[in-house]
Amino acid sequence: MKMYLVDVNSVEETNYLAELIGKNLFPGAVITLEGDLGAGKTTFTQGLAKTLNIKQYVNSPTFTIIKEYNGDLPLYHMDVYRIENDLEDLGFDEYFYGDGVTVIEWASHIANQLPEERLDINIYVVKDTKRRFEFKPLGARYEKLCEVLTNEKAID
């Protein structure tokens, strides 16, 4: 499995990175996001939403767990941080295998419910506005999705 590391130095660069990925998304795509508070999970999701021509303002679904947005593909934005344990069945499969794109913040909280094939993204705060994105594609479709990052640093 390849892993791609990409450093960004601003919100604009984070949005650009999200747009690179967003232009290649497909129905049923699942993206997980992990990172400390303020790392850029929602900012990344906003960049994806822009690429999907979503007109509504995208913010963190912290207290609602799931927010749905309509665009070229539906976007299902989840924040599962407050789920007590990953045994709670909230009908995630309907989203994971649906016609839209699912983005899950704090996905490790529902690790046992995640589909085997997905794109895992960890975001690390380096300093101030600098962030390091670690992309881990799980499955051939996600490896192809990450090919847009081949000009960046890829490690096996």
Side-chain angles (χ1 to χ4, degrees):
M1 166 180 53
K2 284 189 176 182
M3 182 171 58
Y4 299 84
L5 299 176
V6 182
D7 290 341
V8 299
N9 294 299
S10 66
V11 169
E12 293 78 19
E13 288 182 15
T14 297
N15 283 323
Y16 175 73
L17 184 59
E19 289 173 26
L20 282 175
I21 295 293
K23 289 176 184 176
N24 296 286
L25 289 175
F26 48 86
V30 176
I31 298 173
T32 69
L33 297 173
E34 297 285 341
D36 292 333
L37 290 172
K41 296 180 295 294
T42 300
T43 300
F44 184 85
T45 304
Q46 290 168 337
L48 289 177
K50 179 181 175 186
T51 305
L52 295 173
N53 291 315
I54 292 171
K55 304 300 181 205
Q56 301 121 299
Y57 179 72
V58 173
N59 61 2
S60 181
T62 303
F63 297 103
T64 57
I65 300 177
I66 302 170
K67 287 188 177 179
E68 298 182 21
Y69 302 95
N70 292 314
D72 294 341
L73 291 173
L75 175 64
Y76 312 122
H77 185 197
M78 302 179 182
D79 182 330
V80 296
Y81 183 79
R82 287 183 167 64
I83 291 182
E84 294 297 321
N85 59 59
D86 80 344
L87 299 177
E88 290 185 48
D89 184 2
L90 298 175
F92 293 127
D93 282 354
E94 294 175 27
Y95 294 98
F96 298 160
Y97 302 104
D99 294 331
V101 173
T102 304
V103 175
I104 311 156
E105 296 187 26
W106 306 102
S108 61
H109 289 242
I110 60 165
N112 290 334
Q113 295 183 48
L114 296 173
E116 286 184 27
E117 293 194 2
R118 62 185 186 270
L119 177 59
D120 289 343
I121 303 173
N122 289 301
I123 307 171
Y124 302 97
V125 176
V126 178
K127 67 178 184 175
D128 300 325
T129 59
K130 185 173 183 173
R131 304 291 187 264
R132 172 161 290 151
F133 283 77
E134 179 183 88
F135 293 83
K136 295 180 192 171
L138 301 171
R141 290 179 87 183
Y142 296 96
E143 287 180 24
K144 185 163 181 58
L145 180 64
C146 286
E147 285 179 3
V148 297
L149 304 173
T150 55
N151 291 333
E152 306 300 331
K153 184 178 179 186
I155 58 176
D156 289 317

